[in-house]
Amino acid sequence: MRRRPSGSTSDDGDSPLQEPLDAFEPDIESHVWSEQQEQQRQPSSEAVGWVDEGQRGGVQQDSNHQSPSRFFGKPQAQDWPSSSSSKGPINLFDDAFSGSDSSSMRDGTNVNLDGMADAQRRRKNRLTSPWTTSLSTVIATLASALLVYIIVQSFLTRQLDPKGCELSYMRPAFAKYSDFDTEHTRFASKYSLYLYREGGIDEDTRVKGIPVLFIPGNAGSYKQVRPLAAEAANYYHDVIRHDEGALREGKRTLDFFSVDFNEDITAFHGQTLLDQAEYLNEAISFILSLYHDPNRSLRESGLPDPSSVMIIGHSMGGIVARTMLTMPNYRVNSINTIITLSAPHGRAPVSFDAEIVKTYSTINKYWRDAHSQQWANKNPLWHVTLVSIAGGGLDTMVPSEYASLSSIVPETHGFTVFTSSIPNVWTGMDHLAIMWCDQFRKSVIRALYDVADVRRPSQTQPRAERMRVFRRRFLTGMEDVAEKLLPQQEPRAILTLEDSSNAIVAQGERLILRELGVATNARIHLLPIPPQGTNEGTKFSLLTNQALDDDSVLEVMFCSVFPLQSGQSADLFSMNMELSGDSARSTRLACKNGGVDAILLPASTSESRYPFDHAPPFSYLQYDLEDLAEHQFVAVVDKAKEPIASWVTAEFSANSASNIRSHAGLRTLLTAGLDVHLSSSRSIVNEVKIPALYSGLLSYKISIAKQGQDSSSPELFTPLLRQYVSEPYESKFFVNVKEADINIHGVAPYMPPPLQGISAAQGLSLQIWSDPSSEKSLVLSLKLDLIGSLGKLVMRYRTVFAAFPLLVVALVLRRQFSVYDESDIFIPFSEALDHCLRTSLPILVMALSFLAMSLANAAQKSRHVAPLGPLDAVRNATESATDFTQNDLLLGSQDPFFWFLVPLFGLISVGVCVLMNYVILIVTHVLAFAYSRIRSISPKTEDGKRTAAAFAVSSLRQRIIITAFLVLLVSTVIPYQFAYMVLCIIQLATSIRAIRLLWEAHTCANYNFVNYVHSLLILMLWVLPINLPVLVVWVHNLAVHWLTPFSSHHNILSVMPFILLVETLSTGRMIPRVTTRVHYITNILLIVIALYAAVYGVSYAYLLHHVVNVFSAWLFGLHVAESRFFLQGLRHVLDEESTSNNRDTKKRP
């Protein structure tokens, strides 16, 4: 683009895209001047420097013409010494420029150099190098780096759960349903449906059993179904088909189907999630139709055709499964059982896409509204059971707290459990291992077979029975919701004893058997059950290293006196044990087997290391006294015929003696810790409840020490520790424990409150089983692990660092614009950051800290609101009483104790911004150096000014065509995120060209422009990660030849201000100064960006793009408003100093 010749009166070029470059100023080189040299210098006959609008356009201004600087406060031309006459060394950053001290002279006016020299010595603002930094910035950066190092080291090396998963093996074979084509679904060209068959066991591709659909997660493969489907085929082939009782109860093989989503990325894109849900509903209709086709089905005649499919969803596949029930094409009652593995139900993993946040909100609201209905016939989800299984701390892809269902479904319809709680699993799992872990897949498949019932059209048992099965399979059995089966049993054994039998343990005494099989015949040990009401809170506990099943040598029965009536035969019972001998006086006891309620515990011996060791588990029975109201005795039957190394210990104990509740507050526990002393006369199991420790952000270390003399008898077992929280159901076991790491997934940041409207956190509880025969006391010591706690911030707050640094960048930009409007110097990013560290940033961080405490206090009050009445438990009516978005703001914390995280994240963000600044400086300078070697600088014109070619800009026509083409693509084909990435590249190129020009022409205008475009590049690059996920999804769709455009992300207004601003900057135009009250708008917009990034940036990160987009529109408006065309229309409104000098004040028609 050419500059108009001097004296031209053409009005062409009023458009900001046509105006010449601000950077195209004559060379103004800084010199080191001595006072004597300044006095000897003659004033220059030509004043050069900033050129106002008339000068840049080559237009002669008359006295009546209103200069744009009247509105924007643009400095007028100032005389500077000619570089050709200077004898001092050139130093670009030695001169100081100050608008307040500059001489306001027009062309041809002489300048007093003595006065200028004095003014230069008085200037406060100096042109500093963008590479320089201050001591405060260095200290803050080093502190930030140290914090990041400690946090990362803690995350990688401390408070790590042991890995205990065993490998699984399979012989997979897949059959693809090619006829599930476009006649059935519009996604047939993108997705595919497969049937799994296990090689060597079942290779017939006809359906024959109960349909189960597996849904892979984010970027998952349909082949991930192999471990589960292989175990189902093997278990049916090896066990169930030989069990006549199971076959009569409707157990049949499981037909596993899997979907190939071409590794779609659902975690980042809501529309992709909805597309998958739509496809899966159509796939279910197709699957159910297979069972109606005699050519494709081998089902037994007389069985009802399936009307529903069981669902297993991994990761985001679990969210897709829940979404299916909300879709218009959902077939009613086609889904009634959903098991999800590491699925983030509570909130979206990231909030970079508006559609994913909206979809989550819609799905969760649908499920809450459904379960808030008073009557079952109005609840569309009444028959649906939902079980969410989380992997725990080893899952570093999705925070396990996000798997919680407490805010979505009531306990009657679903629950959340951790793999470390599941019997015979007892280990955490990472995000992928949960799909192939051998112990875990066995538990899942057995649970599916337990709920299966081919005799029903639904192919499953009723909802209540399914919930009982899932609780029995997945929970430890010690939870409050665990159901005892003993009251439902019928007496099956008759014991006949002598009245004078000495096998009865005295009331209140403990039974300890160190060896079984001492007697040649079966021997019974009776513990009398205390009368009801004798001791409030009495419980029965029994622990043994023997299994309590039908094949065991040990049996525990609960008996009642049972005198035979006349004509009644003892043959009605399955077992009749006559132990009275020849005694005439005997007592008969009708007994129930307590083995049905046996709880499995990991074995804890002196050789034990982990709970998942290959060792036979312990068996544990626990009953409240009220559960045994109909019984008088507990009979421990030793059926071993020869001595074996087994032991049993049993007792009745008072809860008041074995349960210890800590009333210490959180701050006391964190500073002083907790010490608990258990005497040598302690119970078999003791429990320590610590309600104050409920946060998942804190970690602890516990040690268990023994005190006292060694007993004469060997120890039966070593201490066994269980840590647990009640919501979600998370238990961890520590065997042979001396020291252990304690960390929980309790109350977590940003998680919605539970449905019940009361606190779901009962705090941390510790259960300790120890040898009651030992004469040693135990001392438990619990201490805070501060370094280990820092590592927990990574999973809970990793998305904070996509938002908090934007707060720092916004404050830095605010300082840069303020200084520029006052002094006409656009200071470097590093200098502005240093100033913010000493002024605005600490104030804002302090204000945000107080806000975090206020929000946490409000959340705490709402958590402790009691239910309105007993009807709440039945209705689950919580939608009106609970704000499920109350934890979305700022830290998302429900505890004011964590206010210090605001300054901590602020400090880390400062370090990240400093690093980002210098990385961009290095990259741009290196590329500028390479660019200068490739492309030579164009020569100067006769008047010493650079031509437009020096900035390497394209022609106006080319820019208009490219911009129009980009706008057309965004509105039709490509998402606006792609256009934004292109704009970031263009802005990077603009920064490179600006640096190149600054090296050739050391002018203040070039200096300002370099700093300006550099800071805007930093701002744009911080917003770029928010746009990248959607862009990745779009590129992935292209890779799989899915060319259908997104239904969203084509709003041209979402990127148009960025396009206009970046295009304006690519012409080298510097933003004008604003010295009127209008500059407050810039300050306000940047403060809004800073506050929004901190308060809403984590939960609604996608809006950060739009907030910065508004700011870009404002900057472009300032560029546009600089032109005379704009000012001539708005001069009378915005110029508060307009006087009678304005010639044209009449209204125009």
Side-chain angles (χ1 to χ4, degrees):
M1 185 175 64
R2 295 184 177 180
R3 184 185 304 275
R4 286 172 297 189
S6 177
S8 171
T9 58
S10 172
D11 291 331
D12 295 337
D14 284 345
S15 170
L17 298 181
Q18 292 178 301
E19 298 204 15
L21 307 176
D22 275 0
F24 297 164
E25 301 292 347
D27 294 337
I28 304 174
E29 299 178 341
S30 302
H31 302 276
V32 179
W33 292 78
S34 66
E35 185 175 352
Q36 182 178 4
Q37 288 174 318
E38 291 177 1
Q39 294 174 353
Q40 295 175 354
R41 291 290 297 159
Q42 295 296 326
S44 174
S45 61
E46 181 183 5
V48 293
W50 287 280
V51 185
D52 56 20
E53 206 64 37
Q55 291 170 310
R56 280 181 286 145
V59 179
Q60 298 288 342
Q61 293 195 20
D62 59 83
S63 60
N64 294 322
H65 180 73
Q66 179 82 14
S67 172
S69 62
R70 298 276 296 165
F71 169 57
F72 292 101
K74 182 113 175 181
Q76 297 173 350
Q78 175 179 319
D79 282 346
W80 293 101
S82 173
S83 60
S84 61
S85 59
S86 172
K87 299 180 180 180
I90 296 177
N91 189 338
L92 173 63
F93 302 106
D94 275 352
D95 261 349
F97 293 80
S98 174
S100 59
D101 293 328
S102 61
S103 301
S104 180
M105 297 291 181
R106 287 294 181 184
D107 292 338
T109 304
N110 292 335
V111 180
N112 189 318
L113 293 182
D114 289 339
M116 185 181 70
D118 293 338
Q120 286 176 336
R121 286 192 293 269
R122 294 195 306 268
R123 291 186 180 106
K124 300 178 181 178
N125 297 320
R126 302 185 59 84
L127 297 183
T128 57
S129 168
W131 297 94
T132 60
T133 186
S134 65
L135 180 62
S136 59
T137 304
V138 172
I139 294 175
T141 304
L142 292 177
S144 172
L146 179 62
L147 271 175
V148 172
Y149 175 79
I150 294 174
I151 290 174
V152 173
Q153 280 293 106
S154 172
F155 176 70
L156 296 176
T157 61
R158 300 177 71 98
Q159 292 285 335
L160 300 180
D161 296 337
K163 299 180 180 180
C165 277
E166 298 178 1
L167 293 176
S168 54
Y169 300 93
M170 69 290 298
R171 289 168 291 180
F174 290 93
K176 181 179 179 180
Y177 288 102
S178 301
D179 54 339
F180 184 48
D181 51 19
T182 53
E183 293 184 2
H184 299 86
T185 175
R186 64 189 180 101
F187 298 102
S189 61
K190 185 180 183 183
Y191 303 143
S192 304
L193 180 66
Y194 289 86
L195 173 68
Y196 180 91
R197 285 296 183 238
E198 181 70 1
I201 292 180
D202 184 8
E203 298 180 356
D204 194 329
T205 58
R206 290 175 292 182
V207 295
K208 58 181 69 69
I210 300 170
V212 180
L213 177 62
F214 170 74
I215 307 175
N218 181 61
S221 169
Y222 70 98
K223 296 180 180 179
Q224 289 177 299
V225 74
R226 292 174 297 180
L228 290 171
E231 175 61 24
N234 283 283
Y235 186 66
Y236 179 81
H237 180 268
D238 298 338
V239 179
I240 292 183
R241 72 187 183 112
H242 304 295
D243 188 343
E244 293 295 334
L247 295 177
R248 285 194 301 270
E249 292 176 357
K251 311 305 179 186
R252 295 294 187 275
T253 187
L254 301 179
D255 293 325
F256 265 88
F257 297 86
S258 185
V259 180
D260 182 10
F261 285 135
N262 275 312
E263 299 182 359
D264 254 350
I265 303 175
T266 50
F268 302 151
H269 195 229
Q271 187 57 49
T272 300
L273 189 150
L274 295 175
D275 291 347
Q276 290 187 0
E278 178 184 341
Y279 174 83
L280 287 170
N281 279 330
E282 293 160 345
I284 286 181
S285 298
F286 179 81
I287 290 171
L288 294 177
S289 69
L290 296 176
Y291 292 85
H292 302 163
D293 187 351
N295 297 323
R296 291 188 164 190
S297 175
L298 283 178
R299 283 173 65 89
E300 306 168 28
S301 60
L303 295 178
D305 292 328
S307 63
S308 68
V309 176
M310 290 190 283
I311 301 290
I312 296 180
H314 174 238
S315 187
M316 290 301 295
I319 310 304
V320 175
R322 288 179 47 226
T323 308
M324 293 167 64
L325 285 79
T326 68
M327 299 295 291
N329 67 335
Y330 170 64
R331 182 173 174 177
V332 179
N333 294 329
S334 61
I335 300 173
N336 64 12
T337 302
I338 303 175
I339 297 178
T340 66
L341 313 177
S342 297
H345 293 286
R347 60 180 287 114
V350 292
S351 58
F352 295 166
D353 176 41
E355 290 297 320
I356 196 72
V357 175
K358 178 182 177 182
T359 301
Y360 257 85
S361 176
T362 302
I363 297 168
N364 289 345
K365 186 177 186 302
Y366 177 87
W367 281 69
R368 290 168 186 148
D369 290 345
H371 289 300
S372 67
Q373 300 299 319
Q374 183 176 2
W375 306 108
N377 58 356
K378 294 185 178 181
N379 181 0
L381 305 177
W382 179 256
H383 298 291
V384 178
T385 56
L386 175 61
V387 178
S388 174
I389 304 177
L394 291 177
D395 190 345
T396 57
M397 294 187 67
V398 175
S400 289
E401 290 93 344
Y402 288 10
S404 175
L405 298 174
S406 61
S407 64
I408 301 172
V409 298
E411 291 186 350
T412 55
H413 289 73
F415 59 88
T416 305
V417 66
F418 283 66
T419 57
S420 57
S421 305
I422 301 175
N424 287 320
V425 177
W426 296 319
T427 180
M429 301 171 193
D430 63 45
H431 199 70
L432 297 178
I434 200 170
M435 283 305 306
W436 54 259
C437 184
D438 187 57
Q439 309 100 295
F440 175 67
R441 68 168 182 165
K442 287 181 169 62
S443 296
V444 172
I445 293 304
R446 281 152 181 75
L448 289 180
Y449 274 115
D450 285 349
V451 302
D453 189 352
V454 77
R455 301 168 298 178
R456 297 172 175 270
S458 64
Q459 304 296 288
T460 59
Q461 298 177 359
R463 178 191 55 81
E465 183 59 30
R466 272 180 278 141
M467 288 300 299
R468 278 193 290 268
V469 169
F470 289 143
R471 291 192 186 106
R472 187 168 63 251
R473 283 290 182 182
F474 296 140
L475 301 185
T476 64
M478 293 174 280
E479 293 81 3
D480 293 338
V481 297
E483 186 178 4
K484 298 298 183 182
L485 299 180
L486 182 67
Q488 305 172 20
Q489 300 294 313
E490 294 293 333
R492 69 167 195 163
I494 286 289
L495 301 183
T496 305
L497 305 175
E498 295 182 12
D499 290 349
S500 59
S501 173
N502 58 3
I504 300 179
V505 179
Q507 186 82 37
E509 293 294 324
R510 178 184 294 133
L511 171 67
I512 298 178
L513 301 178
R514 296 186 172 273
E515 191 176 23
L516 299 181
V518 176
T520 57
N521 297 325
R523 186 173 181 181
I524 298 178
H525 303 271
L526 293 180
L527 281 79
I529 297 176
Q532 297 291 321
T534 54
N535 234 339
E536 186 176 355
T538 300
K539 66 179 180 182
F540 170 76
S541 302
L542 181 144
L543 185 66
T544 178
N545 62 345
Q546 278 289 321
L548 296 179
D549 52 28
D550 295 338
D551 300 328
S552 175
V553 297
L554 181 69
E555 192 165 3
V556 179
M557 294 185 287
F558 296 84
C559 307
S560 304
V561 176
F562 185 79
L564 284 176
Q565 304 296 328
S566 58
Q568 189 175 14
S569 172
D571 295 337
L572 298 175
F573 298 89
S574 60
M575 184 174 67
N576 190 348
M577 298 186 67
E578 181 69 39
L579 302 176
S580 60
D582 298 331
S583 174
R585 302 185 60 184
S586 61
T587 302
R588 290 184 176 86
L589 301 177
C591 301
K592 299 179 180 180
N593 188 356
V596 293
D597 290 325
I599 299 170
L600 299 182
L601 299 178
S604 181
T605 64
S606 58
E607 292 81 20
S608 300
R609 293 188 59 194
Y610 301 110
F612 46 81
D613 287 340
H614 295 282
F618 290 172
S619 298
Y620 176 63
L621 288 177
Q622 175 179 298
Y623 293 98
D624 291 332
L625 188 61
E626 293 77 11
D627 298 329
L628 307 177
E630 62 180 83
H631 306 290
Q632 288 84 44
F633 294 96
V634 179
V636 179
V637 183
D638 176 7
K639 299 186 292 185
K641 297 181 180 179
E642 57 183 17
I644 58 175
S646 296
W647 49 265
V648 181
T649 177
E651 68 178 6
F652 284 92
S653 60
N655 287 333
S656 58
S658 59
N659 289 356
I660 302 171
R661 187 180 184 89
S662 171
H663 298 283
L666 178 62
R667 289 162 182 79
T668 302
L669 292 171
L670 297 183
T671 54
L674 177 66
D675 295 320
V676 178
H677 184 271
L678 302 178
S679 66
S680 58
S681 60
R682 60 188 176 272
S683 303
I684 297 174
V685 57
N686 295 269
E687 186 166 352
V688 180
K689 294 182 178 293
I690 317 172
L693 302 185
Y694 55 81
S695 175
L697 295 176
L698 298 176
S699 301
Y700 315 90
K701 284 188 173 295
I702 190 172
S703 61
I704 299 180
K706 300 178 182 179
Q707 295 181 350
Q709 298 181 351
D710 293 334
S711 59
S712 56
S713 303
E715 195 174 32
L716 297 177
F717 62 96
T718 55
L720 171 65
L721 175 67
R722 174 197 175 213
Q723 67 151 81
Y724 74 91
V725 291
S726 57
E727 177 54 48
Y729 296 119
E730 180 189 24
S731 295
K732 291 182 184 179
F733 293 92
F734 303 91
V735 298
N736 193 22
V737 60
K738 298 179 179 64
E739 291 184 350
D741 293 332
I742 303 295
N743 55 81
I744 63 174
H745 293 84
V747 176
Y750 305 110
M751 285 298 293
L755 275 179
Q756 285 76 11
I758 60 175
S759 174
Q762 303 301 322
L764 172 66
S765 296
L766 302 172
Q767 278 185 306
I768 304 99
W769 289 265
S770 59
D771 185 359
S773 65
S774 174
E775 297 178 0
K776 292 184 178 182
S777 60
L778 296 180
V779 177
L780 280 70
S781 180
L782 185 70
K783 303 292 183 183
L784 171 70
D785 183 3
L786 178 60
I787 303 300
S789 299
L790 290 176
K792 300 303 175 184
L793 298 176
V794 174
M795 289 302 297
R796 278 75 173 186
Y797 282 110
R798 56 185 176 181
T799 54
V800 163
F801 299 106
F804 254 68
L806 201 57
L807 176 149
V808 179
V809 174
L811 292 181
V812 170
L813 277 169
R814 175 180 172 273
R815 176 60 185 170
Q816 288 178 301
F817 278 105
S818 298
V819 173
Y820 177 61
D821 290 338
E822 293 174 1
S823 63
D824 215 0
I825 300 297
F826 204 95
I827 60 177
F829 188 90
S830 57
E831 183 180 352
L833 178 58
D834 173 61
H835 188 275
C836 292
L837 281 175
R838 293 180 279 107
T839 54
S840 57
L841 188 57
I843 295 174
L844 185 57
V845 167
M846 185 181 301
L848 291 174
S849 300
F850 282 110
L851 178 61
M853 287 189 286
S854 301
L855 294 173
N857 283 324
Q860 269 193 342
K861 291 179 181 179
S862 65
R863 281 198 297 117
H864 291 91
V865 174
L868 301 177
L871 190 60
D872 287 351
V874 179
R875 296 178 56 193
N876 296 305
T878 58
E879 186 70 27
S880 60
T882 305
D883 178 13
F884 292 100
T885 63
Q886 66 184 19
N887 299 325
D888 287 352
L889 307 182
L890 200 54
L891 294 176
S893 175
Q894 305 172 39
D895 192 337
F897 171 79
F898 295 103
W899 66 268
F900 64 88
L901 291 179
V902 174
L904 186 143
F905 293 147
L907 179 60
I908 295 177
S909 299
V910 169
V912 172
C913 288
V914 171
L915 177 63
M916 183 76 165
N917 175 47
Y918 284 106
V919 168
I920 296 177
L921 281 174
I922 293 173
V923 171
T924 53
H925 279 71
V926 169
L927 294 177
F929 177 79
Y931 181 61
S932 65
R933 291 295 178 266
I934 297 174
R935 183 185 177 95
S936 61
I937 301 298
S938 60
K940 301 178 183 179
T941 58
E942 294 180 357
D943 59 357
K945 297 181 180 180
R946 295 287 180 190
T947 62
F951 205 70
V953 294
S954 58
S955 66
L956 175 62
R957 176 176 298 179
Q958 289 176 331
R959 294 199 305 273
I960 293 177
I961 293 175
I962 294 174
T963 302
F965 183 68
L966 186 61
V967 169
L968 177 64
L969 289 180
V970 169
S971 60
T972 56
V973 179
I974 67 174
Y976 70 78
Q977 288 84 356
F978 179 83
Y980 184 83
M981 186 188 69
V982 173
L983 293 174
C984 288
I985 297 174
I986 295 175
Q987 183 68 9
L988 175 63
T990 301
S991 298
I992 294 170
R993 295 198 304 271
I995 293 172
R996 170 180 172 271
L997 186 61
L998 178 62
W999 290 346
E1000 296 298 324
H1002 302 299
T1003 67
C1004 181
N1006 291 348
Y1007 171 86
N1008 287 346
F1009 187 70
V1010 167
N1011 292 334
Y1012 175 50
V1013 296
H1014 173 79
S1015 296
L1016 289 185
L1017 177 61
I1018 293 177
L1019 178 66
M1020 293 180 66
L1021 289 181
W1022 272 123
V1023 179
L1024 181 60
I1026 299 174
N1027 294 282
L1028 282 180
V1030 175
L1031 183 60
V1032 170
V1033 175
W1034 180 70
V1035 172
H1036 174 268
N1037 283 350
L1038 294 181
V1040 298
H1041 309 291
W1042 182 253
L1043 304 180
T1044 303
F1046 290 162
S1047 60
S1048 57
H1049 307 293
H1050 292 290
N1051 186 356
I1052 190 61
L1053 295 180
S1054 297
V1055 76
M1056 193 65 190
F1058 283 115
I1059 294 176
L1060 297 176
L1061 178 62
V1062 171
E1063 179 61 29
T1064 302
L1065 296 178
S1066 69
T1067 65
R1069 289 177 48 82
M1070 180 62 189
I1071 193 169
R1073 289 175 59 199
V1074 181
T1075 56
T1076 62
R1077 294 180 181 178
V1078 177
H1079 79 276
Y1080 288 120
I1081 299 179
T1082 306
N1083 286 342
I1084 292 173
L1085 287 176
L1086 288 170
I1087 291 175
V1088 168
I1089 293 175
L1091 292 177
Y1092 185 90
V1095 179
Y1096 295 94
V1098 175
S1099 298
Y1100 308 97
Y1102 65 92
L1103 283 177
L1104 290 174
H1105 171 94
H1106 301 291
V1107 175
V1108 177
N1109 190 43
V1110 172
F1111 177 66
S1112 300
W1114 169 249
L1115 293 183
F1116 175 72
L1118 293 181
H1119 280 280
V1120 172
E1122 184 188 17
S1123 65
R1124 290 191 313 279
F1125 178 80
F1126 178 83
L1127 286 180
Q1128 288 172 353
L1130 299 181
R1131 181 173 57 216
H1132 303 292
V1133 179
L1134 299 176
D1135 189 358
E1136 298 176 351
E1137 301 178 4
S1138 62
T1139 61
S1140 59
N1141 293 331
N1142 296 317
R1143 295 182 303 173
D1144 189 6
T1145 57
K1146 296 182 180 180
K1147 294 184 179 179
R1148 297 178 181 271

